Amino acid sequence: MRLAAILMLLAGPALAGSGLSFAEPPLVLIERGVICQVTPEGSRPAPETEQGVINLIEPGRRVDVLTEIVPAALGISFGIRFTLSETAAPMALRVIVTHPPMGPRGVEVESWTTEAAPGAPSVSLFTFEYAYEMVEGSWTMALEAGGERLLEQQFTVVPGDAARPVLAACDGPAAVS
């Protein structure tokens, strides 16, 4: 597992994405982008996902490449790192990932719950573990509490060749943080 972050902001026409996002109090978006390699620390049931389970990772895991452009490549993860403001109470959040149809059932929306605490970074991400998951197009990761959307981040999944700088950063040496 890569523990250090590359933390580079990608630019240029080949990597320009809409990247539309918002975060409403008490949520704070810390960073969004690609995590090159994730080592699960366990799993738990998530019946509203295509696989029916989600992997658990280190909650403070940093993003390796700050971007909204995601290469469709096995092993690549992408998502958001967020926290609650210091004055907020701990809360349960629903993570909602919307994407083009995937898998034999053509699933387009997946969701699970997560807990958030004030000032403690949390990470919600999606990892391409199977070829059928690597659907290109517009993806949205959102956080809701009590049915209210508090954070939304859009990503664009593209062929690996269209995001060579991201793949190169993932294959390169880890930066020291």
Side-chain angles (χ1 to χ4, degrees):
M1 174 167 82
R2 243 183 195 179
L3 296 175
I6 294 170
L7 297 178
M8 57 189 274
L9 180 60
L10 297 173
L15 296 175
S18 63
L20 298 177
S21 67
F22 68 86
E24 300 289 334
L27 283 176
V28 176
L29 178 63
I30 299 170
E31 56 189 5
R32 81 288 177 261
V34 168
I35 297 175
C36 298
Q37 183 180 2
V38 171
T39 301
E41 296 181 342
S43 64
R44 70 174 170 87
E48 295 178 20
T49 63
E50 207 282 328
Q51 285 290 314
V53 340
I54 59 168
N55 292 325
L56 303 175
I57 67 162
E58 174 193 346
R61 180 69 164 87
R62 305 243 2 210
V63 167
D64 292 311
V65 183
L66 298 175
T67 184
E68 296 91 23
I69 303 301
V70 178
L74 285 174
I76 291 291
S77 299
F78 63 99
I80 55 176
R81 185 167 177 248
F82 61 94
T83 191
L84 292 178
S85 65
E86 293 288 340
T87 58
M91 68 171 54
L93 297 168
R94 175 155 298 281
V95 180
I96 302 167
V97 179
T98 307
H99 49 68
M102 90 166 52
R105 297 179 292 134
V107 172
E108 295 180 57
V109 178
E110 301 181 72
S111 69
W112 60 91
T113 59
T114 190
E115 298 293 323
S122 297
V123 176
S124 289
L125 56 80
F126 191 94
T127 301
F128 292 133
E129 296 179 277
Y130 305 97
Y132 74 85
E133 294 174 324
M134 298 184 301
V135 291
E136 297 168 16
S138 180
W139 288 60
T140 302
M141 185 165 287
L143 298 174
E144 293 183 355
E148 181 182 354
R149 188 156 289 198
L150 298 175
L151 187 150
E152 182 174 292
Q153 176 65 54
Q154 293 185 4
F155 295 94
T156 302
V157 175
V158 299
D161 284 352
R164 284 189 194 136
V166 175
L167 291 175
C170 285
D171 289 338
V176 176
S177 58

